[in-house]
Structure formats: C-alpha cells, structure tokens
Amino acid sequence: MRILMTGATGLLGQGVLHEALADASVTRVAVLGRRALAHPDPRVEDLVVERFDDLSAVHARLAPFDACFYCAGAPPLGTPEATYRHVTLDLTLHVARAFAQQNPTARLLYISGAHADPASMLMPMRIKGETEAALRALPITTVMLRPGGIQPAHGERSPHGWMRPFYRLAAPAMGVGVRLMPGVMTSTAHVGQALLALAAMPDPPPVVENARINALGEAAAGARPPPAGA
C-alpha cells in the first residue's frame, strides 16, 4: 500500500504514521507538509511545500498512491472562524482535488470529527460538515472518519504547547474512556489502524463514526502480521 498523508506532525498524525509503519503491507508513506520529517524509516518520503494552496513544487510527485490519509487541521479551540474555515475547508479541498486528479482510482480518507454537520450551530462541526460535503462531490472514493476524544497511544505530543498540560492530566481518564465509552473516545492507534483497514476494503463505508473506528482498529490490530524483521 502506498499512502500520501498530511498532518504527520500533529498529535493524531504522529499516531497514524506510527501505525502505518508498523504495517507490513505499507511500502511507501509520502508526508506532505511544510517542513521535512527526516524520518529514519526508508519508506517515508518528505513532500515539502510552503503552503497547501500551492502544490506546484510537488505536483509531479503526488502519484501514484493507493490512499490519502488527510489528518491535517486547525485546533477548534482558540482558532478564529475565518482561519478555521481556510485551513479546514479551503486547504483540504485544494489538496484533495490535486490528489484526485493524480490518483483517480485511489481513495481519500478524511479525519473529520464527531457530529460534523453543515447545519450545526457550532462552528467547528458546521465547517467540518461543509468540508465533508465538498469532498464527497469529488470524482474519487472518499471516507469520512468522525472520531470523538482521542487518546495518545504511543506517547504522541501535541504540536500546540498550550494543549500539552491537558493531555498529561487527562491521560489516565482518556485511557479509561476508550475502554468504557467506545462511542465517544478513541485512540491514535485505533484511528491509524482503522484508516489502514478502510484503505484496504473493497467497498468502504462513506462515514465511520467513533464506535466503528474502535471496532475496526481492534480487529485490524488482532489480524496484523508483524513488520519484516520483527
């Protein structure tokens, strides 16, 4: 499996990349971002751009891929609505259109959010819902994942310093929440495993809510062969 992913430096993206590289079927992960990861795994390739609305520097390298894991986004708390809309809707759609043009038989898996709805009274949920609707209109298979609260499973750290104390304090409760409230809480591991499972499905569902993310993640983890050399 050849994967293009965004948001690899974010808390969720770190976990998704960890899970992708733990999967023996993954042969290539190209990370689209504003700075190079310089990851030691030889399967990881950096696609560096200054802005997501200008992909000219990497356009020829946006293919061939089997799936795009779109994990980039802005934090819903503390981000002005205009900025949140630009990052969440405009930039996502720009990358998705370029990916669809270059990889018409691939699929795009988008990390949305619980209760995403273009009619929502809450700004983040409304814009996420609008983004889902725009992505569904593309001439490519799309899957919307709607996680709720996300527990860091492998020691991932938020790139936003002001959020790190929250994750440190909430870590024990989040772990319990994943076990006792599978419809509300998930983990970076389960999201990563679910993305891989959905990318390999012959006919994936168009929307995957939090409970199914956990179910897919658990099933995939149990069935996964170890990576080469393990």
Side-chain angles (χ1 to χ4, degrees):
M1 186 185 301
R2 300 159 299 180
I3 300 167
L4 174 70
M5 75 170 292
T6 68
T9 59
L11 183 140
L12 175 59
Q14 294 169 43
V16 170
L17 180 60
H18 178 100
E19 293 300 325
L21 296 178
D23 193 304
S25 70
V26 174
T27 57
R28 178 189 179 200
V29 181
V31 176
L32 180 66
R34 284 178 283 273
R35 64 179 184 274
L37 280 184
H39 197 283
D41 192 304
R43 292 174 292 173
V44 179
E45 171 188 358
D46 287 309
L47 301 183
V48 179
V49 293
E50 291 186 10
R51 308 190 319 268
F52 273 23
D53 56 1
D54 181 5
L55 303 176
S56 57
V58 298
H59 189 266
R61 299 165 63 193
L62 292 178
F65 292 103
D66 302 297
C68 174
F69 294 172
Y70 202 98
C71 305
L77 296 177
T79 303
E81 181 171 351
T83 302
Y84 191 82
R85 176 177 294 277
H86 178 64
V87 173
T88 304
L89 177 57
D90 299 338
L91 297 186
T92 300
L93 196 56
H94 187 83
V95 174
R97 283 172 173 156
F99 179 81
Q101 181 183 43
Q102 294 284 78
N103 304 275
T105 62
R107 59 187 56 168
L108 185 141
L109 299 100
Y110 173 63
I111 302 298
S112 183
H115 310 295
D117 183 349
S120 176
M121 297 293 290
L122 300 177
M123 180 273 288
M125 297 174 188
R126 181 175 65 254
I127 293 176
K128 284 280 192 180
E130 293 172 6
T131 303
E132 287 188 5
L135 292 174
R136 287 192 197 100
L138 295 175
I140 190 174
T141 298
T142 57
V143 181
M144 314 299 162
L145 285 81
R146 294 177 177 170
I150 301 176
Q151 174 206 22
H154 306 294
E156 296 92 352
R157 299 180 68 205
S158 172
H160 308 287
W162 61 272
M163 295 182 68
R164 291 173 191 161
F166 165 78
Y167 280 104
R168 284 196 297 268
L169 293 172
M174 294 178 81
V176 172
V178 174
R179 294 192 299 273
L180 300 183
M181 297 184 292
V184 177
M185 294 288 302
T186 187
S187 70
T188 55
H190 282 171
V191 174
Q193 293 153 2
L195 283 166
L196 291 161
L198 291 161
M201 276 186 191
D203 187 21
V207 176
V208 182
E209 303 287 357
N210 196 92
R212 192 165 187 192
I213 290 173
N214 285 329
L216 286 169
E218 291 170 2
R224 170 185 294 171

